[in-house]
Amino acid sequence: MLWTANRIIRKLSTSSNYYQNKLRLALIGQSLFGQEVYTNLRKQGHKVVGVFTVPDKDGKADPLAVVAEKDGTPVFKFPRWRVKGKPILEIVEAYKAVGAELNVMPFCSQFIPMNVIDHPAHGSIIYHPSILPLHRGASAINWTLIQGDKKAGFSIFWADDGLDTGPILLQRECPVEPNDTVDTLYNRFLFPEGIKAMVESVQLIADGKAPRIPQTEEGASYEGIQKKSNSKVNLAQPAEAIHNWIRGHDKVPGAWTVIDGQTVTLYGSSMLGESVPAGQPLELEGASQPGVVTKNGLVLYGSDSKALMVKNLQFEDGKMISAAKYFSSGDTASVELTDDEKKMAEEIRDIWKGILSNVAAIEETTDFFKSGAASMDVVRLVEEIKQKCAGLQLQNEDVYMATTFQDFIQMFVRRLRGEDQEEEMVIDYATKDVNNMTVKMPWQCFINGKFEDAENGKTADTINPADGSVICKVAYASVGDVDRAVAAAKEAFEVGPWGRMNPRDRGTLLYKLADLMEEHQEELATIESIDSGAVYTLALKTHVGMSIQTFRYFAGWCDKIQGKTIPINQARPNRNLTFTKKEPLGVCAIVIPWNYPLMMLAWKSAACLAAGNTLVLKPAQVTPLSALKFAELTVKAGIPKGVINIVPGSGGMVGQRMSDHPDIRKLGFTGSTPIGKQIMKSCALSNLKKVSLELGGKSPLIIFSDCDMDKAVRMGMSSVFFNKGENCIAAGRLFVEESIHDEYIRRVVEEIKKMKVGDPLDRSTDHGPQNHKAHMDKLVEYCEVGLKEGATLVYGGKQVDRPGFFMEPTLFTDVEDHMFIAKEESFGPIMVVSKFKDGDIDGVLNRANDTEFGLASGVFTRDINKAMYVSERLDAGTVFVNTYNKTDVASPFGGFKQSGFGKDLGEDALNEYLRTKAVTVEY
C-alpha cells in the first residue's frame, strides 16, 4: 500500500498541471491515508497550517502526526473536542488560531463540533468509503461486501450537522470482484484513488469550481458498526450470501460459527468453481450439509449446494490455524532450542517488547494481540525479524497463526531450520490417455509455488483443434490473481533466496530445469500437439527441443553477466574509479502467443530468469497447458516459490492488469501490432515499464532466377507452411523473378499435393489443424478477399471437410501490390506470390520494403554479391540468405518498424531484462 501511494505521489508531483490558487488547510484526522493526503496536498503547494490528530498510543504517534512533526507543521493531539456534548472552548480557540480556510478530513474517528466544521471560509470536506447515500456510517466498506454490492467507491462531501448527509463534491466507483475483501478493495482502489480525489477536491475548491450536489434520500441506508455478538454467520442460506458475510467481517469483528460446541471465527473466504477437492467431513451448526476439510481449506456449502472455501480458523483462545489443518492442529510437538536459537529468541523478545511497550514483561504466554497490537504492529514485527534474519520466509499471516510468544518462537525456529516447509506440492491433474501415454496436465493458476483455483472460481474450456473436443477446463484468472502473483514475485525478488543466490547456483537450477524438460519432452510435445495443433514431430524437435536448448543456453550466461570499468577525468588531487554494474529489473511480466506456446515461454523467461528477475507469465488463453506443465517442472527443479508465476486468462483482464500494475518493471510481449501498441501505451501511463515487443510481420522472400531451384522450392514451402503457417517470421509474400516464375509455381503445386493433412499425432502428417476456430474462419475470409480483389487462386483456399480446424495449404499468384493479401499478414498456410521483372533488383527491394512491418526477410541467389547487396537493403530484423526459418538460441531475434523492438535470444536478450548502474568512487 505504501509503495502504491509513493507512486501516486510521484505522479501528482510531476504533473504538468500547475495550479495557481492555493489554500490554507487544517487537516483533521489520522492514519496512513491521512498522512498521504497531507503529503500530496503540500506537494501541490497548499499550506497546511495545522494538523489535528489523535494522541499517541502506547508511546507511538499516529502516522499523520509523525510526518507533520518532521515537516515542522503545527500538530495538535486532542483526546476529545467536546465534553458532555459541548465543545471544549480552549481546544476550539486553539483550532481557530491557525487560520485555516478549509478543513480537510480524510479519515477522522473523533466527533468534531459544528463551530469547527463551519468556521473556515470554505467549510469542511470529508472522505467516506461508499457511494453515498448508500452505506452511511462507520463500516461502509464492510457493508458493501456484506450486502453483495456489485460496485464500491467513495464520496467526498461537504460536512453538515447530519451523519454523512452533506452535499456531494466528488464521487468515484469501481467494480467489486467476486473475492474482494475489505483489504483488497482498500488497497486497489479506495486508498490510492481516494488520495488523488482528496487532492483534486481541494483544488476544485481553490479554483471556485467545486460542486455541492444535495444527497437524495432515495436508496439511502445507514448501518452501524458490527459487533462480535451479532456477526454469527447464517449457514442456511446461499453460498454467495455466506461468502459475502464472511468477507465483509474479515478481519474485524470476524464472522463466526459453532464447530464441536465452540465458537470458531472464519477468515479468508472465496467462492469455489465446479471443482471441489476431496477431504474429511466436518459438522457445522446450522449448515444445510457438512463442510469438508480439504488440503486447501474448509469447504462450506450453501443452501443452494454451491461451495465456498475458508482458509483460516480462529478459536476462542485466540489461536489461529490453517483450516486445512483442523484435524491435525494439535499434532506438532515442541522443539528444543539450541543455545544460538535461545539467543535469537531473546532478540525477538526484545522486538516484541519494543512493539508492546505497554506490557511490563514479555512472558511465554504473552499474546501479541491481546496485549494491544494492531495490524501495523504485525507488519513491523515481521519486517524487523526479517531484517535480523536475512532470507527467512516470514509473512504477516504467520503472526496471526502463532499469537503467543512461545508459539511464535516455536514457529520461528521451525521456519529457521527448514522443518516448517510446505507440504509436497499437490496437483489436481486433468489426465488424458493419448499418444500411447497418460498425459497429466495441471489446470489451475500457479502462484507462489502452488497450483490453486482462480480467485473467482472461474474456468474456461481449452479445445483440441484436431477435432474440436474439450481437453479440460483451465482456471480463468482475475485481476486479484494477477495481484497475488505479482506480490509473490516481488517478495521472491526482494527477500527470497533467488535475489541473493550466487549467479552460478542460479544457472545450476536452470540447467536442472532444462534436464527435467528433456525427461518430459514426449509429454510436453503431446500436450503442445493436442492444445495448439502442432504436428507431434515438429513439437518434439522445435516447440520442445528449442525450448530445452534455450534454457541451457541462458543457464550458461548466469555467471557471465558483467559490467565494466570506465576511465574518467580525475577530481584532482583525488582519484576516481568508475564502474558499471548490470542489475536485474525486478518483477517482469511476460505475455506469450498461441503459435509456439512453450517455445515463446522459453525464449523470454529463460533470459529473464538468467538475469536474476522474477516473473508473472500469461499464456495465450487458447493454449495454456504446456505453460502450466512447465510450472510443475520448475518446482521439481528447485526454483524457489514466487520466482515463476503462471496466470492463464484473457488478455483484456490479465494482460491489461499486467500492463497497468505498478510493481511490474518490464513487460515482454509477442503478439499482434494493435495489441502491442495498447500494451506500450498502458505501460507508459502506469509506471513507464520497460517494454520489448515482437509483433506482426509480412516478411518478404525474394527468389532470383539464379537460385538453386530445388532448394528455393523446398525452403519457400517451409517459409510459408512451417507450423501450419502459424509462424511469426513466415514469408508473407514471395517475389519470384519473372523468367522462373511459372516453373517455380508448377514445382510448388507438385509439392503441396504431396503434403499430408491430418491428425497431428500421426508421425506421417505434414500439416495439422489451425490453432482455433476463430483463426480458421479468419483464414477462409482472407482467401475470399484475395479472390475478390483479383488474385489467382492456384490451390486450396478452403477449410478441409473433416472434424477440427484444418485449412488447405493455399497458393495465390498474380498478387498486385495494392491488394489486401499483399499487405496484411495471414498467419496461416497461404502462399502469396508476385512476379518481378528480370534483373530489377532495386525495384523488387522497394516493393519488399514497402510495408510497415520488418520482422524477417529472405533472398535466394547463387550470386554472393547480389545476396550481400540485397541483405544490406532489406529493412528487417532478420535476413535469411539461401535458407529460411533458421533461428538459433545464440542469435538475436526481433523486428524493425511496426514489427516491434527489443530482442529475444542471444546475448542481446539479456539486456532486455537488465539495467545498468554507474558507480563512481573517490579515493
Side-chain angles (χ1 to χ4, degrees), residues 24-31 38 47-57 60-70 72-81 88-100 103-104 107-110 112 116:
R24 291 168 58 84
L25 308 174
L27 249 75
I28 304 175
Q30 63 208 74
S31 79
Y38 163 86
K47 174 71 173 177
V48 179
V49 294
V51 165
F52 298 84
T53 187
V54 293
D56 295 356
K57 182 181 178 182
K60 293 182 292 185
D62 182 82
L64 173 57
V66 171
V67 70
E69 287 171 341
K70 189 178 294 184
T73 301
V75 176
F76 304 84
K77 302 177 182 181
F78 300 139
R80 64 187 64 83
W81 289 70
I88 302 171
L89 293 179
E90 312 91 86
I91 290 178
V92 173
E93 291 305 313
Y95 158 77
K96 289 181 178 180
V98 302
N103 291 333
V104 178
F107 173 72
C108 182
S109 62
Q110 296 176 312
I112 309 301
V116 171

Side-chain angles (χ1 to χ4, degrees), residues 462-463 465 471 526-533 622-626 771:
T462 186
I463 305 297
I471 302 169
T526 301
I527 293 172
E528 197 88 339
S529 185
I530 64 174
D531 203 23
S532 76
V622 292
T623 55
L625 294 177
S626 53
N771 186 274

Side-chain angles (χ1 to χ4, degrees), residues 238-250:
E240 187 175 357
I242 298 171
H243 165 62
N244 289 337
W245 186 267
I246 295 172
R247 65 177 176 151
H249 289 82
D250 192 337

